[in-house]
Amino acid sequence: MSSTSQKHKDFVAEPMGEKPVMALAGIGEVLGKRLEDKGFDKAYVVLGQFLVLKKDEELFRDWLKDTCGANVKQQGDCYGCLKEWCDAFL
Amino acid sequence: MASTQLTDEELFLELKRFGFTPGPVTENTRPVYLKKLKKLREEQQQRGLRPGKTRTIGAINSTTGGGSTVASRPVSHDVTHLNTSRRPGRKSSLLGFSSDESDAETPLKRKGLGHSGRANRSSSSQQQPKIRPASTPSVAIKSRYDHSATPSSNFSLGQNGERRVSLGWGVGDRSRSDAGLRRYDDSGDEDNYEEDMEKKSRSLNGRGASRLNASKLAGDYSDSDEEEVSGLGVGDPECDRLEPRRNHPSVALSSDVTDRGSATDGQNTEATPRRFLNMGGSQGEDEEEDDLKRRDFSRLGDSRSHTLPRKPIYGSLTENHKGYTGKNSPATGEDGASRSNSTELRPRFSTYSGLSQTYRRNHSNHTPAPNHSCGHAALKRNVSAPEDELLQQFKREELASSGSFSAHYLSMFLLTAACLFFVLLGLMYLRMRGSGALEVDNVINSPPPEFDTPNKDVIQKLLLSLHDHLAFVAGQHDCGDPNHPNRSVSIDEASVYLLAQNKSFKGLINESLDWIIQKGQDVGIRLMGAVPDEPVTKVSEIARLESTHPKMSFTCRFRRAFFTIINRVLLIAVVAGCVWSVVCYVKYRWRRDETETRQMYDMVERIIDVMKTHGEACQENQDLQPYLPIPHVRDSLVQPQDRSKMKKIWERAVSFLSANESRIRTETQRIGGADFLVWRWIQPSLNCDKGSSKVWQGKAFPLDRRNSPPNSLTPCLKIRNMFDPVMEVGENWDLAIREAILEKCSDNDGIVHIAVDKTSREGCVYVKCLSAEYSGKAFKALHGSWFDGKLVTVKYLRLDRYHQRFPQAQGCSTPLKASGLATSVTNTTAHLQHHSSASSPGFS
């Protein structure tokens, strides 16, 4: 596989609209469920959090880890996914 | 913890003090920012311990310079990644700031001269880790600049500067500055100093050049005396350079900034190198002054930089200046005072703070130069005060000791007192033990009355002396005295000794011994026969005498007791240590196992994810093989450097999958001529999935006037054909229906009541909305959609009929929201749908 996963590519290819949070790269079922339980039920809510943290990688990673227990790889995937999405659409 | 005491705003300001522009502090971001703040503080402390302040200052200068001004961009390369990340924000703030943009060019040029000189110095100190804090202040300052953008540029400058100072300390007003100033007093670490320096250099550059200079100088000052001197020297040329600009209050400011110490001076046209010295002196001591100082300087610098670029605005400035002359004069007075202050106290950041205060005040009036110097000090003081408070708050919580010295000492004192008490008690006990002879004496003092009186005393004396002698011998023996190899004394020796004591003892020895035997009590003398351990009944059998209450010297006793105690304590400690180590080991193993299991599950999840993706991709694209070789999956999921580490976890995951996962089948395939163990994703057909779960499947026809009423008539809807009661299985399918409706109308927050008629053959669901408008929206969303393979139709109901049917709906007024729980299933399928739909464009 290339360095970005299929999920990442899919997410970044189009505006996220109402995609669920599990559409984010790095967020699978378990993490997605945890995020949903905390209220981040859609990908755009996580995007909102990402923007509130000023797109800072470290902060977003920390937040992700605290909120849903993502490991380093998942954090990186999610961050990269959102960042690229923002670069493309924001 | 401090965190609990901090409100969001305080946290925000605290972070800003470090020069870090945080985003909004919400309940979601709070923990992240708290962690960040802690980390910043730790780093600050670490940096405070670092040597080579000059370097740091230089670095700060460069960083600040780079960060702060556009012109000084080239220097920004030494900015830490934090800066970098914030650079864009800063840039914008800067740009917004140099409202006096046009002016920014010219002053920049000028400052460039001094700045380049500084830059060299800064570059040397670039490696300083303090760059980060340095940049942060500048960032903070910059943000403040933006924040304080006001109509009149001049005014804004002043305000900005002021604000910057205050902001730098997280205080927008004077009170804050107090705290900030106090803070200066508290933290004497170089870090702060450098930050200040940075700030100053920042201001100096274009805008911040002055700050750079200031901070640099400040840094120099703080480092050491000789550095102060050198700093001063540096400042001086700066001063000179700034001389031409001096006439401008801003110039004064810049010169001030340059010197940092001479910030005061800078402001005043008459700023002289001496001023610099003063300030520098105070700066130098500002080791403890931390960010506040820096900020102050930066503030100064900022103001200065503002003023500097303001050349063209000079006219307006002067106007303002004049306008504020009234205010200025007191400020001037303060200035003078502060100046003198600074002159006197070299390290006095109080002076500084006084200056900053004055500066602040002046700034509020937007009186440039004269006020600056005073304001700086005053401001600084003000700023440091609130900052100090906050810092104290943090430190107290972090260290848990800095706050209440007296309490700490008191507890220590109590502890030592208790220990001493117990030690004394032990010693006394030892002494008591040693004086067990008292009992014996008592016993001996009551010899049986059968002895005749004249002999009684003699016998008593005899016994006492015998007892003492034996005790002495025993004691000596026990203490390891080589003179007495035997603990006991033979009867002959005893007789000899007694006779030596007193001739009259001669005949009474046997009698006394007899008495001892008869006594039966322990008189401190043990009589032993030829065979030890055998009780002696007759005097003639007595072979040796031994004392049962050895009299040892105090030191000997103490020593023995001490050793005993030590041995016992050691024994207990060893036992406890063993137990504790066992417990730790068990915990460690348990934790490790848990981690591994979690990792294993994580890996399994990822594998499933990959397989699912692949399966869907295969569905889309028939050219792909429906299976994936296991090693390939592993290599795509696990980084090369982790492969050996994750090997065990991978193996466990593989075995778990083969045992517990029904959707992935392990088989052997021949790929490219080699046999591989592959995984095949056995994709349950999406149709079944879709059929089994309740999802919306698109619209059958567009809604137009022909097939829907032109406007919504009532707030109540009857939805038909949502389900088939005969076919439904499970317990909560009606909840699923509810959730599905709510999801479909997720943008419509006016649905207050939903009732699923489980018994209706038509599959009816009744919905009530807040108003006709909402029901109209729901109508448009639902009517004509496919759901679960059925075409859904909607019609309006009369409100009174609805209430007749569902009286509980009359009271409902809170909009319902999809809870997401029941839709988890639908979400999964929806996710799959999304995924497949998303993957199509990906593949195409």
Side-chain angles (χ1 to χ4, degrees):
Chain A
M1 265 194 198
S2 65
S3 57
T4 54
S5 66
Q6 188 61 42
K7 232 176 161 187
H8 175 106
K9 290 190 194 128
D10 293 343
F11 192 80
V12 174
E14 56 177 0
M16 65 173 78
E18 297 287 323
K19 284 187 188 167
V21 73
M22 279 172 266
L24 285 164
I27 307 293
E29 286 191 25
V30 172
L31 294 186
K33 182 78 173 63
R34 288 184 196 158
L35 282 172
E36 282 174 12
D37 290 343
K38 297 252 173 106
F40 297 88
D41 56 344
K42 294 280 182 189
Y44 61 73
V45 188
V46 179
L47 171 72
Q49 185 69 18
F50 176 68
L51 297 175
V52 158
L53 292 172
K54 302 224 167 174
K55 305 192 208 168
D56 181 277
E57 173 166 9
E58 194 188 328
L59 291 178
F60 182 70
R61 276 175 178 261
D62 282 344
W63 172 81
L64 206 54
K65 186 165 85 141
D66 291 340
T67 311
C68 64
N71 63 29
V72 174
K73 180 181 183 303
Q74 289 162 333
Q75 295 164 19
D77 289 345
C78 190
Y79 168 76
C81 175
L82 280 173
K83 181 161 172 310
E84 216 175 295
W85 191 92
C86 287
D87 292 342
F89 295 103
L90 209 52
Chain B
M1 279 298 287
S3 53
T4 55
Q5 297 174 13
L6 282 180
T7 65
D8 285 347
E9 195 182 312
E10 285 169 359
L11 179 58
F12 190 74
L13 294 169
E14 280 284 315
L15 283 169
K16 283 204 153 191
R17 269 200 298 161
F18 287 96
F20 167 67
T21 10
V25 182
T26 69
E27 56 177 280
N28 277 328
T29 60
R30 209 179 149 81
V32 178
Y33 281 130
L34 283 172
K35 267 205 264 180
K36 183 86 184 165
L37 187 60
K38 261 199 208 104
K39 206 160 55 136
L40 286 170
R41 280 171 188 267
E42 280 165 20
E43 280 183 27
Q44 194 190 67
Q45 284 175 3
Q46 276 176 13
R47 241 172 286 167
L49 301 172
R50 268 174 158 261
K53 301 171 201 181
T54 336
R55 295 278 142 268
T56 330
I57 296 176
I60 299 176
N61 290 342
S62 49
T63 36
T64 51
S68 50
T69 52
V70 192
S72 42
R73 276 293 150 203
V75 197
S76 53
H77 60 272
D78 51 43
V79 175
T80 58
H81 71 281
L82 271 175
N83 289 339
T84 341
S85 59
R86 282 182 233 116
R87 183 84 37 91
R90 257 189 311 194
K91 229 186 269 196
S92 47
S93 63
L94 273 174
L95 286 180
F97 225 170
S98 26
S99 46
D100 322 60
E101 277 112 48
S102 50
D103 305 322
E105 321 281 346
T106 9
L108 276 179
K109 267 192 256 163
R110 289 234 199 145
K111 287 191 189 201
L113 291 175
H115 184 48
S116 49
R118 298 260 165 66
N120 295 338
R121 257 182 307 190
S122 347
S123 40
S124 54
S125 46
Q126 282 180 9
Q127 311 77 342
Q128 290 300 334
K130 300 219 182 157
I131 290 176
R132 196 166 153 285
S135 45
T136 51
S138 37
V139 179
I141 292 186
K142 287 202 185 48
S143 53
R144 298 197 68 104
Y145 264 122
D146 277 342
H147 173 75
S148 48
T150 52
S152 98
S153 54
N154 298 338
F155 208 67
S156 58
L157 262 187
Q159 281 177 348
N160 288 340
E162 186 183 40
R163 270 211 193 106
R164 202 195 290 190
V165 177
S166 50
L167 277 177
W169 293 287
V171 180
D173 55 69
R174 221 116 345 126
S175 56
R176 274 305 191 164
S177 57
D178 287 329
L181 289 171
R182 273 214 301 279
R183 215 166 149 263
Y184 269 154
D185 296 324
D186 286 343
S187 49
D189 62 351
E190 171 182 12
D191 218 353
N192 301 326
Y193 191 71
E194 300 195 3
E195 277 186 63
D196 265 337
M197 291 303 284
E198 188 192 11
K199 286 195 202 163
K200 287 165 88 109
S201 49
R202 257 180 208 271
S203 49
L204 280 176
N205 297 331
R207 220 190 337 178
S210 55
R211 202 173 350 154
L212 263 182
N213 293 335
S215 42
K216 261 222 280 184
L217 287 172
D220 290 344
Y221 288 144
S222 56
D223 282 349
S224 61
D225 281 347
E226 59 263 10
E227 273 172 25
E228 274 185 22
V229 173
S230 56
L232 285 172
V234 173
D236 283 348
E238 276 304 326
C239 278
D240 296 336
R241 219 193 328 251
L242 296 168
E243 268 310 325
R245 297 186 274 208
R246 283 292 175 81
N247 48 7
H248 200 290
S250 52
V251 174
L253 281 175
S254 47
S255 57
D256 234 353
V257 171
T258 338
D259 271 356
R260 192 153 114 152
S262 45
T264 333
D265 291 339
Q267 306 201 344
N268 299 317
T269 324
E270 53 274 36
T272 59
R274 215 174 350 101
R275 292 277 162 100
F276 286 105
L277 279 167
N278 296 335
M279 289 307 286
S282 40
Q283 281 303 330
E285 303 266 4
D286 287 3
E287 278 249 345
E288 30 173 344
E289 287 172 355
D290 46 20
D291 308 352
L292 277 179
K293 273 209 172 178
R294 263 176 298 188
R295 286 202 207 128
D296 243 351
F297 273 123
S298 42
R299 206 165 34 83
L300 291 174
D302 284 336
S303 55
R304 248 169 285 189
S305 49
H306 282 304
T307 53
L308 278 173
R310 292 280 161 100
K311 288 286 190 99
I313 315 175
Y314 178 61
S316 49
L317 263 178
T318 39
E319 283 166 16
N320 295 340
H321 194 71
K322 283 179 196 139
Y324 293 112
T325 314
K327 297 179 207 162
N328 280 349
S329 14
T332 322
E334 289 171 40
D335 242 7
S338 55
R339 228 170 297 151
S340 52
N341 280 347
S342 47
T343 347
E344 287 153 12
L345 330 153
R346 300 216 53 219
R348 284 298 72 194
F349 51 89
S350 54
T351 314
Y352 201 65
S353 38
L355 282 175
S356 42
Q357 253 181 3
T358 329
Y359 185 73
R360 257 220 244 186
R361 248 167 285 147
N362 295 333
H363 262 291
S364 50
N365 301 334
H366 191 61
T367 56
N371 297 333
H372 289 307
S373 42
C374 301
H376 285 294
L379 278 168
K380 286 221 173 97
R381 202 173 293 129
N382 290 338
V383 172
S384 45
E387 274 192 354
D388 282 342
E389 280 170 0
L390 288 174
L391 184 66
Q392 278 299 334
Q393 228 180 21
F394 264 111
K395 277 192 178 164
R396 205 166 293 133
E397 275 153 14
E398 284 168 358
L399 307 176
S401 64
S402 51
S404 51
F405 266 171
S406 59
H408 180 70
Y409 282 155
L410 185 64
S411 61
M412 289 296 292
F413 168 71
L414 280 176
L415 199 63
T416 46
C419 286
L420 275 175
F421 170 71
F422 281 117
V423 167
L424 281 172
L425 203 61
L427 291 177
M428 267 177 37
Y429 170 72
L430 285 177
R431 196 182 291 272
M432 286 293 293
R433 284 268 317 282
S435 58
L438 284 174
E439 313 157 12
V440 176
D441 291 346
N442 287 339
V443 175
I444 291 182
N445 278 341
S446 60
E450 61 255 27
F451 292 106
D452 32 345
T453 316
N455 285 338
K456 210 191 219 177
D457 298 332
V458 179
I459 288 176
Q460 265 185 356
K461 277 193 259 173
L462 181 149
L463 284 173
L464 277 172
S465 77
L466 179 64
H467 173 265
D468 288 342
H469 176 68
L470 287 173
F472 175 72
V473 168
Q476 290 288 63
H477 174 81
D478 283 341
C479 281
D481 194 341
N483 290 341
H484 298 83
N486 285 336
R487 203 163 185 267
S488 58
V489 170
S490 72
I491 191 155
D492 299 328
E493 289 170 12
S495 315
V496 166
Y497 173 77
L498 286 170
L499 285 172
Q501 296 286 325
N502 194 337
K503 291 261 189 285
S504 61
F505 285 162
K506 187 165 182 164
L508 302 170
I509 293 178
N510 288 342
E511 270 193 43
S512 47
L513 290 175
D514 197 35
W515 176 81
I516 292 174
I517 293 170
Q518 285 176 7
K519 187 80 177 159
Q521 282 180 354
D522 179 23
V523 297
I525 300 174
R526 182 165 54 227
L527 305 169
M528 297 189 298
V531 180
D533 296 342
E534 216 176 78
V536 173
T537 49
K538 289 202 295 227
V539 178
S540 53
E541 285 183 17
I542 297 175
R544 302 191 72 81
L545 300 156
E546 193 171 325
S547 168
T548 51
H549 291 103
K551 193 185 297 182
M552 294 179 270
S553 67
F554 183 69
T555 52
C556 182
R557 266 205 311 270
F558 180 72
R559 203 158 13 108
R560 281 161 62 94
F562 181 69
F563 283 141
T564 317
I565 291 171
I566 292 286
N567 287 339
R568 292 223 187 97
V569 165
L570 276 179
L571 192 66
I572 292 174
V574 164
V575 168
C578 286
V579 170
W580 178 75
S581 66
V582 165
V583 166
C584 274
Y585 179 67
V586 166
K587 271 206 287 194
Y588 160 72
R589 284 297 301 276
W590 178 77
R591 206 181 5 210
R592 206 172 51 134
D593 285 342
E594 229 191 69
T595 318
E596 274 184 11
T597 314
R598 194 168 45 85
Q599 277 179 331
M600 191 265 291
Y601 282 126
D602 191 41
M603 181 69 67
V604 166
E605 238 171 76
R606 279 152 64 183
I607 294 171
I608 292 179
D609 219 11
V610 165
M611 293 307 303
K612 211 186 282 185
T613 321
H614 185 76
E616 281 154 17
C618 285
Q619 285 222 328
E620 303 291 327
N621 183 353
Q622 295 300 331
D623 293 338
L624 289 180
Q625 300 289 354
Y627 45 78
L628 278 180
I630 295 182
H632 291 191
V633 175
R634 181 198 68 203
D635 291 341
S636 63
L637 283 180
V638 180
Q639 301 289 343
Q641 58 264 28
D642 297 335
R643 282 201 197 137
S644 51
K645 277 191 294 181
M646 305 283 277
K647 189 175 164 62
K648 186 169 165 223
I649 297 172
W650 176 261
E651 295 300 321
R652 283 181 69 186
V654 170
S655 49
F656 180 86
L657 275 178
S658 55
N660 297 23
E661 179 60 57
S662 63
R663 293 172 293 178
I664 296 182
R665 189 169 66 202
T666 314
E667 51 192 35
T668 316
Q669 293 279 352
R670 182 168 279 261
I671 300 178
D675 280 332
F676 278 101
L677 262 180
V678 302
W679 274 328
R680 182 190 291 270
W681 174 254
I682 303 177
Q683 175 70 23
S685 68
L686 284 176
N687 292 334
C688 300
D689 247 358
K690 283 186 196 162
S692 66
S693 70
K694 308 190 175 302
V695 284
W696 293 95
Q697 293 155 330
K699 277 197 144 354
F701 47 82
L703 286 171
D704 60 9
R705 204 160 307 170
R706 283 184 299 126
N707 47 28
S708 67
N711 55 336
S712 63
L713 307 167
T714 73
C716 303
L717 303 172
K718 176 177 176 185
I719 308 170
R720 278 216 215 92
N721 210 16
M722 286 283 294
F723 55 89
D724 190 347
V726 174
M727 296 289 294
E728 291 301 337
V729 291
E731 299 175 351
N732 295 329
W733 57 268
D734 59 333
L735 286 181
I737 300 276
R738 269 175 68 106
E739 290 303 320
I741 289 179
L742 283 171
E743 237 200 64
K744 187 84 167 116
C745 307
S746 53
D747 59 338
N748 179 355
D749 55 355
I751 297 177
V752 297
H753 179 256
I754 297 181
V756 176
D757 191 351
K758 288 198 191 182
T759 56
S760 77
R761 269 172 309 140
E762 288 182 332
C764 290
V765 179
Y766 297 89
V767 170
K768 179 183 172 197
C769 301
L770 275 176
S771 70
E773 178 202 336
Y774 289 110
S775 73
K777 271 172 63 179
F779 184 95
K780 287 192 181 60
L782 295 168
H783 184 64
S785 304
W786 289 102
F787 179 71
D788 199 13
K790 303 190 203 28
L791 187 61
V792 171
T793 57
V794 185
K795 74 174 202 174
Y796 289 100
L797 280 184
R798 281 192 13 208
L799 188 61
D800 48 357
R801 285 271 173 79
Y802 193 92
H803 284 158
Q804 266 178 5
R805 177 91 187 263
F806 303 103
Q808 70 269 25
Q810 289 176 14
C812 289
S813 59
T814 51
L816 298 171
K817 286 267 170 242
S819 71
L821 284 172
T823 51
S824 56
V825 174
T826 55
N827 273 354
T828 322
T829 49
H831 171 65
L832 279 176
Q833 285 174 327
H834 279 132
H835 215 83
S836 42
S837 60
S839 58
S840 341
F843 270 42
S844 57

